[in-house]
Amino acid sequence: MDDRLADGPPGAEAGVLADRLKERIYATITMIAVVVGLSFGEVSALGAVATVLTTALGLWLAALVADQQAHRTVHRHLATGRELRRMLYVSSPLLSCAAGPSVLIALAALDVLTLHAALLAAAGVCVVSLFLWGCVGGLRMGGGVLAALVAGLVDATIGVAVALVKAAAGH
């Protein structure tokens, strides 16, 4: 069976794309918790964007350390060349998860909206992205529109649950 996706980047294997998407979804769920937590605190726009950016950077570095350690343990050598490029490609969505919240926080810094509204909007955008990824997954599985919508709702519900847990904890 061919492990490449016809509609993915040229030469990209389905396993690599799945791993990359997994990192993006993980980062999105984590970012929901971060921006909801920030919305309950007394933080400035600068502090909020610093938290969002350092969270994304920390997630990315943790993924690289874990990937390199796992590779070293299994293969008995550090990942280099193609293996390292794969790790960097797969983990890069962990950095991009900060883009949307950072833009919304920047709008708050420019007084276009309040910081609280920006943080809640960022959480909402993250939940919507989970819904859309769920729908795409449902459609790719061939279940039709209804199955895609159900998959999207399940994924969005997970994002909302993360936000509710964070809100219930009061931080």
Side-chain angles (χ1 to χ4, degrees), residues 106-117:
L107 290 173
L110 296 171
D111 288 328
V112 174
L113 66 163
T114 67
L115 181 57
H116 184 74

Side-chain angles (χ1 to χ4, degrees), residues 79-166:
T80 58
R82 181 181 174 163
E83 299 158 331
L84 183 57
R85 283 190 304 275
R86 180 194 189 281
M87 286 179 190
L88 292 169
Y89 177 73
V90 165
S91 65
S92 64
L94 293 167
L95 292 170
S96 65
C97 73
S102 295
V103 168
L104 288 163
I105 293 167
L107 290 173
L110 296 171
D111 288 328
V112 174
L113 66 163
T114 67
L115 181 57
H116 184 74
L119 293 168
L120 293 181
V125 168
C126 288
V127 169
V128 168
S129 74
L130 290 175
F131 172 78
L132 293 174
W133 280 117
C135 286
V136 168
L139 287 173
R140 290 187 67 104
M141 288 175 51
V145 174
L146 182 60
L149 290 173
V150 169
L153 286 173
V154 167
D155 286 359
T157 299
I158 292 167
V160 170
V162 166
L164 291 174
V165 166
K166 195 70 173 171

Side-chain angles (χ1 to χ4, degrees), residues 13-82:
E13 296 178 359
V16 171
L17 295 175
D19 287 347
R20 184 175 162 86
L21 180 56
K22 174 194 69 166
E23 295 293 356
R24 176 63 184 178
I25 291 168
Y26 172 74
T28 300
I29 292 169
T30 301
M31 198 54 68
I32 291 169
V34 169
V35 296
V36 169
L38 286 169
S39 75
F40 284 101
E42 295 295 323
V43 64
S44 66
L46 182 60
V49 80
T51 300
V52 164
L53 293 174
T54 56
T55 297
L57 181 62
L59 286 171
W60 180 68
L61 290 172
L64 283 180
V65 167
D67 283 348
Q68 190 65 268
Q69 184 173 354
H71 188 276
R72 183 179 68 230
T73 301
V74 171
H75 299 285
R76 299 180 182 177
H77 64 85
L78 290 173
T80 58
R82 181 181 174 163

